[in-house]
Amino acid sequence: MDFTLTEEQQLLRDSIAGYLAARYDLEKSRTAAKTAPGWQPAVWRGFAEELGILGATLPERVDGMGGGAVELMVVAEELGRALVVEPFVDTVVVGGGLLDRSGGDRADDVLGKIVAGDARTAFAVLEPASGQTQHDIGVTARRDGDEWVIDGEKIVVTSAPIATHLIIAARTAGERRDKVGISLFLLDFDAAAPPAGVTVAPYRTIDDRVGADLTFTGLRLPAAALLGIEGAAWDTIEATTDDAIAAIAAEAVGGMRKVLADTLEYAKQRQQFGVTIGSFQALQHRMVDMYMELEQAIAATYLAIHALDAEPAARARSISAAKVTVARAARFIGQNAVQLHGAMGMTEELAIGHYFKRLTAIENEFGSTDLHLARYAALTRP
């Protein structure tokens, strides 16, 4: 298997890295994250118009570039290295994946707006009683004439406060944990002025992103709001979630590369007992262990990226293996980086603390280590 980037992919990486180094300031991004609106619209517009990365992996029929899994990895890793908080994964990977796989004119219209930087999506799937099981869905959607009526609660809907469109997973048939009977619905959305029947409880997450809990009470949607085939959305959700896991694994790799580099540089400068702490053998061993964890995470991410086009079981095995490996590396590298920086490692002024929070969030995003260990075991059991 060849992991070498093509000339075009390397150019994409260099373009993103150069743009972010020149235009994306960590202090400004954290300030924007902690105040309204919680992100930087001008940066998002630049991603669309100057870099073109919002359409890098979306199909050409909606003016995207038609890139594949490797292009996704390249973009996500560079965004992770710069600790970008703007909703690339929620919009391009999750929203774009759900819309592209569902198909239809309305889905393509929103995809085109994503490419142009005019649309941002949030996926409402998790519920108070579902834990991390995405197919445990109690929110219902029932027909009433030419409309759908949706009732129930969704939690931890990341990017909802800044989304222009909401994709809702609701049950149109079957029992709570059935994989058959799940449907997707597309809703034009504005958290500041939500549609009738929607209550929004927004908040900021530990990693300086935004999320919300949503309550639907008799929310009425037109028949055209249904995405894809009624009751047959689970395969779309599962495949798109695997894409998202691969993306955040690559994002974590970018973040861990930066954290390790900063820690090594700090160890060369910080002095204790008249010498640099990097000269202490015990700390050298610790940093070597961090490097080894990073290399394992990189290898697992590469395998996951190249498995995205495989048949579902093989794809799922590789994705869950990568999630477990990356989560372990993220915890080890993040915790040791903070420790090696001393008490200031968790301060707002130092970048390490912000990276540590994001790596901690990635550890549980789209399923915990325990969930993916169980998934991997189930898929490999004879």
Side-chain angles (χ1 to χ4, degrees), residues 77-90:
E77 184 175 328
E78 291 307 316
L79 295 181
R81 193 193 301 266
L83 202 61
V84 170
V85 298
E86 281 64 38
F88 176 83
V89 173
D90 284 342

Side-chain angles (χ1 to χ4, degrees), residues 139-142 144 147-153 168 187 195-199 215-222:
V139 168
T140 60
R142 57 182 175 83
D144 186 10
E147 295 182 315
W148 291 96
V149 181
I150 298 180
D151 292 282
E153 296 180 56
I168 305 168
L187 169 67
V198 181
T199 302
T215 302
F216 305 114
T217 308
L219 170 64
R220 290 186 171 272
L221 299 178

Side-chain angles (χ1 to χ4, degrees), residues 188-209:
D188 290 346
F189 189 70
D190 180 355
V198 181
T199 302
V200 182
Y203 44 80
R204 182 166 60 90
T205 60
I206 189 175
D207 55 340
D208 288 330
R209 282 157 169 77

Side-chain angles (χ1 to χ4, degrees), residues 62-340:
V62 295
D63 295 327
M65 299 179 188
V70 177
E71 285 74 20
L72 172 62
M73 178 187 71
V74 168
V75 175
E77 184 175 328
E78 291 307 316
L79 295 181
R81 193 193 301 266
L83 202 61
V84 170
V85 298
E86 281 64 38
F88 176 83
V89 173
D90 284 342
T91 294
V92 177
V93 184
V94 178
L98 293 173
L99 292 167
D100 186 29
R101 288 183 171 96
S102 297
D105 292 341
R106 187 152 186 244
D108 280 359
D109 177 63
V110 178
L111 284 170
K113 291 178 179 177
I114 290 174
V115 173
D118 296 327
R120 299 168 302 281
T121 64
F123 183 35
V125 60
L126 297 179
E127 301 181 3
S130 67
Q132 300 177 83
T133 305
Q134 288 187 320
H135 58 81
D136 186 342
I137 292 178
V139 168
T140 60
R142 57 182 175 83
R143 290 183 181 273
D144 186 10
D146 293 332
E147 295 182 315
W148 291 96
V149 181
I150 298 180
D151 292 282
E153 296 180 56
K154 296 291 185 181
I155 61 170
V156 197
V157 185
T158 54
S159 297
I162 60 175
T164 60
H165 295 79
L166 191 66
I167 301 174
I168 305 168
R171 184 161 296 285
T172 51
E175 302 298 326
R176 275 197 65 107
R177 297 178 67 88
D178 289 349
K179 294 180 179 178
V180 176
I182 300 171
S183 302
L184 295 175
F185 297 88
L186 179 63
L187 169 67
D188 290 346
F189 189 70
D190 180 355
V198 181
T199 302
V200 182
Y203 44 80
R204 182 166 60 90
T205 60
I206 189 175
D207 55 340
D208 288 330
R209 282 157 169 77
V210 291
D213 296 340
L214 307 176
T215 302
F216 305 114
T217 308
L219 170 64
R220 290 186 171 272
L221 299 178
L226 177 68
L227 292 173
I229 300 172
E230 179 185 341
W234 174 247
D235 287 346
T236 292
I237 294 171
E238 188 173 40
T240 300
T241 300
D242 282 347
D243 288 349
I245 292 170
I248 64 167
E251 179 190 345
V253 165
M256 288 186 286
R257 287 188 194 273
K258 172 65 173 172
V259 166
L260 180 56
D262 283 1
T263 302
L264 291 173
E265 186 62 30
Y266 178 77
K268 294 175 184 178
Q269 298 177 6
R270 177 72 167 92
Q271 290 197 350
Q272 191 72 32
F273 307 114
V275 296
T276 60
I277 64 173
S279 65
F280 299 152
Q281 190 175 51
L283 299 190
Q284 291 174 358
H285 290 172
R286 184 80 62 85
M287 288 181 279
V288 168
D289 289 342
M290 292 168 68
Y291 175 79
M292 292 173 63
E293 287 287 343
L294 172 59
E295 288 300 308
Q296 290 181 60
I298 292 170
T301 299
Y302 282 172
L303 289 173
I305 287 292
H306 283 273
L308 286 180
D309 294 327
E311 56 90 17
R315 180 197 71 218
R317 285 195 301 271
S318 296
I319 290 295
S320 286
K323 186 62 164 64
V324 172
T325 304
V326 169
R328 184 193 66 217
R331 172 177 290 225
F332 184 86
I333 292 172
Q335 290 180 346
N336 279 283
V338 169
Q339 187 177 42
L340 288 168

Side-chain angles (χ1 to χ4, degrees), residues 355-366:
Y355 279 91
F356 173 68
K357 291 174 185 176
R358 179 58 186 149
L359 291 173
T360 300
I362 286 175
E363 186 180 347
N364 289 287
E365 195 170 0
F366 299 112

